[in-house]
Amino acid sequence: MFKDTKALVNKLADTASEPLHTFDNTIKENPDLVVPLAVIHVVPIALMIIGTTQVILAHQKLKAEKERTKQAKLRAMMPHHGPHCGRHHGPKPPMKLMAHHELPTE
């Protein structure tokens, strides 16, 4: 098996220096080489496509998260907005501050 492989490698190395039609003749003589050569060429292309789509999706998610954070910061900075400014939509103050602001009437 190794002798056949070595002879095949030597033959392919020789065909690299000869014109293209000799490579075609080698493929015609050994049609079982078509599948391994196809796999060698297709696998890196498929991995590149998958990686590129993952990068694009991650970039879109990051952009959406940045926008969501930006909107949350803007909402937190605006204590009263809109025509119903009597109602507070922000986070409630701690209990100590609430007790200080809301004194019981007796």
Side-chain angles (χ1 to χ4, degrees):
M1 179 174 174
F2 290 114
K3 291 179 183 179
D4 295 335
T5 306
K6 188 175 180 180
L8 184 62
V9 168
N10 287 336
K11 191 171 186 179
L12 285 174
D14 291 340
T15 59
S17 60
E18 296 177 13
L20 278 176
H21 66 278
T22 56
F23 180 75
D24 292 339
N25 290 336
T26 304
I27 295 294
K28 286 178 186 175
E29 292 172 6
N30 298 316
D32 55 330
L33 290 178
V34 173
V35 174
L37 288 174
V39 169
I40 288 173
H41 288 87
V42 169
V43 169
I45 293 170
L47 291 175
M48 185 175 59
I49 290 170
I50 291 169
T52 302
T53 55
Q54 292 297 320
V55 167
I56 290 170
L57 290 175
H59 180 69
Q60 288 176 347
K61 287 179 183 178
L62 178 65
K63 201 172 180 182
E65 190 61 36
K66 282 183 180 180
E67 183 63 29
R68 194 175 302 122
T69 303
K70 181 178 158 186
Q71 293 294 326
K73 284 181 182 179
L74 287 174
R75 276 192 299 258
M77 289 173 49
M78 297 174 60
H80 303 288
H81 53 85
H84 53 279
C85 60
R87 294 172 36 194
H88 181 69
H89 293 287
K92 291 186 178 181
M95 293 304 279
K96 290 180 191 176
L97 294 176
M98 285 180 64
H100 176 64
H101 290 291
E102 298 174 5
L103 295 174
T105 56
E106 289 182 19

